Amino acid sequence: MPELPDVEIAKRRLEKALVGATVTGAHSEDKRILHPSAPSVLSRALVGRTVQEVSRRGKWLRVLLDDGGRMFSHLGMTGWWVERGIEHPKERSERARIDVSSTEGRSRSLRYLDSRRFGRLIVAQADIDEWRELGPDPLVDGIGVSHVVAALAKTRRAVKDVIMDQSVLAGIGNILATEGLWHARIDPRSRSDALSRADVGKIARGLGMAIRRELAVRTESRNEDEWHDVFSVYGRAGAPCPRCGSAIAKVIIGGRTTTFCRSCQVRRRSLKRA
DNA sequence: CTCTATGTTTAATT
DNA sequence: GAATTAAACATAGA
C-alpha cells in the first residue's frame, strides 16, 4: 500500500484516532519490524502517554508523544494501519496494535497489518536519521523546481532513478515516478543532467497530478475495497497509450519495472548547452 | 511449479 | 569515489 498518497491516508487515519488520546496498550512481538528495538520497548514507551501530533514526511509517519518520545512507522511494501474494535481478534498479518482511550473515554484499537513484514516501527527519543535525511515532501513542502534542477544536475543517472531518491523528493515511489513522467511526457530513461528547467517544471506538475489522482481515489471512497486505481501506464505494458495509442513499453531502471510510451514521452540524452 | 510485486539496504562489480 | 547491478528480506496472488 505504500507510496505518498497511501501514507497520507494512513496519517489522517492515525491523526483522527490518536491525537489527544491516551495510550492504554501497545504490543508487538515482531523483532524484524521493531528492529533495532526490543519488543518490550513499544509498550514501555507508549502506554500512559498522550499523543500530541501525527505527521508524515515522504513514506514515513511520526507519532509525537507528550513526553517528547516518538514512534516512527514505515509501511514497507505491504504495511497498513487499520482501526478495529478493541475485541477484534488478531488476524494473520497483524504485526502490532495500539489501544487508546480518548478524553470522552472512547476506546479505539489500531492494528498494524503487514504481510511481507518489510515495514518498520521505531521508538526513539529524537528524530531518527531516516526521517531527518528526507528531501522535501511534495505535499508538505511542495516541489521546488530549483531544488530538483540542482539535484538532477549533479548526476547522469536516469531521471526516474533520481526522482525516486528519497533525499531528493520524499515519497515518490515506482508508481508515482512512472505515472508522473508519463504526465510530463518525459522518457524515464532520460539522463538527469540533460533536462531543461522547463522539463523539470513539467515533471513537478506531472508528479503533482499523479499524487492528486491517487489521493482522490482514496479519499472519495469510504472503504478500501472500493479503491480501484486507474493507472495510465503503470502495470500496462503492451496496452495502448491512453494519449497516443502506441504500445506501452517496459524497461528496467534501477532494478524496478518501468513503463512508458516511446512515442509521446521524449528522451533527453545529451547534455544541454548553456 | 514460475513469475511478479507499491520499498530499502547491503554486497559485489564495473 | 561514483555508479550500476544483483541479491536479499517474507509473503501473497496470478
Side-chain angles (χ1 to χ4, degrees):
Chain A
M1 317 288 148
E3 265 197 50
L4 190 151
D6 306 281
V7 187
E8 175 64 19
I9 294 298
K11 181 251 181 181
R12 293 175 189 176
R13 179 172 295 168
L14 291 185
E15 193 169 43
K16 182 180 271 189
L18 297 181
V19 172
T22 301
V23 180
T24 54
H27 181 74
S28 175
E29 287 171 2
D30 197 305
K31 290 211 175 80
R32 178 184 174 81
I33 288 171
L34 294 170
H35 187 270
S37 307
S40 59
V41 174
L42 191 66
S43 67
R44 226 182 307 156
L46 297 186
V47 174
R49 303 270 62 80
T50 295
V51 175
Q52 286 193 326
E53 177 192 293
V54 177
S55 43
R56 177 194 63 75
R57 282 189 69 78
K59 302 170 193 171
W60 280 96
L61 294 165
R62 181 182 69 177
V63 177
L64 272 185
L65 307 170
D66 58 359
D67 65 349
R70 51 206 71 191
M71 182 190 81
F72 295 87
S73 166
H74 191 293
L75 305 179
M77 200 85 113
T78 52
W80 195 227
W81 285 96
V82 293
E83 184 175 342
R84 292 280 143 85
I86 198 96
E87 302 290 342
H88 188 86
K90 178 176 188 284
E91 51 201 272
R92 184 212 288 265
S93 64
E94 182 180 309
R95 310 301 181 189
R97 68 180 284 169
I98 296 175
D99 300 330
V100 298
S101 170
S102 67
T103 44
E104 309 88 58
R106 173 171 177 189
S107 291
R108 295 170 180 265
S109 183
L110 289 158
R111 312 295 176 90
Y112 178 63
L113 313 180
D114 188 350
S115 63
R116 287 174 73 178
R117 301 164 66 212
F118 288 171
R120 312 282 307 278
L121 277 182
I122 300 172
V123 168
Q125 286 308 118
D127 287 342
I128 58 176
D129 292 347
E130 292 91 325
W131 174 270
R132 293 198 333 258
E133 290 165 6
L134 292 170
D137 179 279
L139 287 187
V140 178
D141 314 297
I143 302 177
V145 173
S146 298
H147 166 258
V148 178
V149 167
L152 291 172
K154 277 191 231 167
T155 168
R156 10 185 335 170
R157 290 149 66 204
V159 60
K160 172 165 176 274
D161 214 14
V162 181
I163 61 176
M164 286 177 65
D165 183 332
Q166 300 301 296
S167 67
V168 173
L169 285 177
I172 307 302
N174 201 30
I175 294 177
L176 288 179
T178 298
E179 292 288 299
L181 288 166
W182 180 81
H183 285 299
R185 304 186 187 224
I186 302 287
D187 186 320
R189 300 168 299 172
S190 298
R191 249 176 69 164
S192 63
D193 64 354
L195 294 172
S196 68
R197 189 179 178 90
D199 290 334
V200 178
K202 286 186 207 162
I203 291 171
R205 285 194 299 278
L207 290 171
M209 169 88 75
I211 291 168
R212 282 193 306 278
R213 280 180 54 160
E214 283 306 288
L215 212 44
V217 167
R218 285 152 177 67
T219 308
E220 283 159 18
S221 48
R222 187 138 188 73
N223 75 51
E224 283 136 52
D225 304 330
E226 290 167 20
W227 291 357
H228 61 54
D229 295 315
V230 188
F231 298 125
S232 301
V233 286
Y234 178 80
R236 301 179 48 77
C241 170
R243 198 162 46 207
C244 75
S246 308
I248 298 299
K250 177 168 100 166
V251 295
I252 304 294
I253 296 175
R256 313 296 298 278
T257 297
T258 304
T259 50
F260 67 104
C261 176
R262 289 185 190 277
S263 45
C264 64
Q265 289 178 255
V266 57
R267 181 171 189 178
R268 305 284 188 224
R269 356 177 47 121
S270 57
L271 200 57
K272 58 185 180 291
R273 296 137 303 167

